[in-house]
Amino acid sequence: HKVCLMENKSGRPSLYHYLLKMHHENRTVADELKSEMQFKTSSWRDVHALFARAGFSVSQSPHAGGLLITHGAGDDQVSVCWRKIFPEYRFSYDALIARIGSFQPGNVEPYSVPEIGMGYSDSLSMREINNRVSQCNERAIARMDLKGRYKAYTMALPVYRPDRS
């Protein structure tokens, strides 16, 4: 998966990972946004306000014709495609247009301290990445140990030689 490769190579957590994989009070940020979006949004203003509460902005993608979820501004800006976070049809761009009308740009500033989730930051998963490295090393040591024990086991087995008659 490209996102995982980018995350491992750069050492920076992806916005995709934060939204879909990191849990806050046993729910992902995407799950919290879905439940809020399903019941509490009846206009684009509501959608923009909801994502601002989570520390994000929503904009139209200039390339794909869909939506982008963005965090930060300028050089620190990180975006992810809407449909990668919300693949279900009921949250698709087309379904939102059918439900609340054509896209209206928002003018709500994202909260600096979000009410939804823990807040996206590059340093959030550095601890997790370090844990991954240590877990990878532990698995490598366990594999080498298992390999050594298997070799000792096979060396201790009697050699089978069929009778030559």
Side-chain angles (χ1 to χ4, degrees), residues 132-148:
R132 285 183 187 172
V133 169
S134 65
Q135 288 171 352
C136 182
N137 290 339
E138 288 170 10
R139 285 192 304 269
I141 291 168
R143 277 193 308 272
M144 295 302 289
D145 179 52
L146 182 62
K147 195 178 196 181

Side-chain angles (χ1 to χ4, degrees), residues 41-94:
T41 56
S42 58
S43 68
W44 283 104
R45 174 180 281 157
D46 295 341
V47 172
H48 291 295
L50 170 64
F51 278 82
R53 285 181 39 223
F56 304 110
S57 61
V58 176
S59 61
Q60 238 176 343
S61 172
H63 307 291
L67 297 173
L68 291 175
I69 301 169
T70 306
H71 180 270
D75 291 341
D76 294 330
Q77 184 172 330
V78 180
S79 297
V80 66
C81 182
W82 178 279
R83 70 178 168 261
K84 289 188 179 195
I85 305 302
F86 305 111
E88 302 93 343
Y89 177 76
R90 66 184 170 175
F91 299 113
S92 72
Y93 182 48
D94 293 336

Side-chain angles (χ1 to χ4, degrees), residues 16 19-21 27-41 47 50-51 53-54 56 69 81-92 96 99 116-117:
Y16 174 87
L19 289 168
L20 289 177
K21 307 288 184 193
R27 296 183 71 197
T28 65
V29 176
D31 290 339
E32 292 182 45
L33 291 170
K34 284 177 190 177
S35 64
E36 294 265 338
M37 203 172 7
Q38 187 170 2
F39 300 111
K40 297 182 180 178
T41 56
V47 172
L50 170 64
F51 278 82
R53 285 181 39 223
F56 304 110
I69 301 169
C81 182
W82 178 279
R83 70 178 168 261
K84 289 188 179 195
I85 305 302
F86 305 111
E88 302 93 343
Y89 177 76
R90 66 184 170 175
F91 299 113
S92 72
L96 285 174
R99 192 176 66 153
I116 299 172

Side-chain angles (χ1 to χ4, degrees), residues 79-137:
S79 297
V80 66
C81 182
W82 178 279
R83 70 178 168 261
K84 289 188 179 195
I85 305 302
F86 305 111
E88 302 93 343
Y89 177 76
R90 66 184 170 175
F91 299 113
S92 72
Y93 182 48
D94 293 336
L96 285 174
I97 289 174
R99 192 176 66 153
I100 60 178
S102 62
F103 180 78
Q104 301 294 319
N107 57 1
V108 181
E109 283 293 316
Y111 288 27
S112 56
V113 179
E115 293 178 358
I116 299 172
M118 301 172 289
Y120 175 71
S121 170
D122 289 352
S123 63
L124 273 180
S125 75
M126 292 310 289
R127 178 181 65 243
E128 189 172 306
I129 289 170
N130 291 338
N131 286 344
R132 285 183 187 172
V133 169
S134 65
Q135 288 171 352
C136 182
N137 290 339

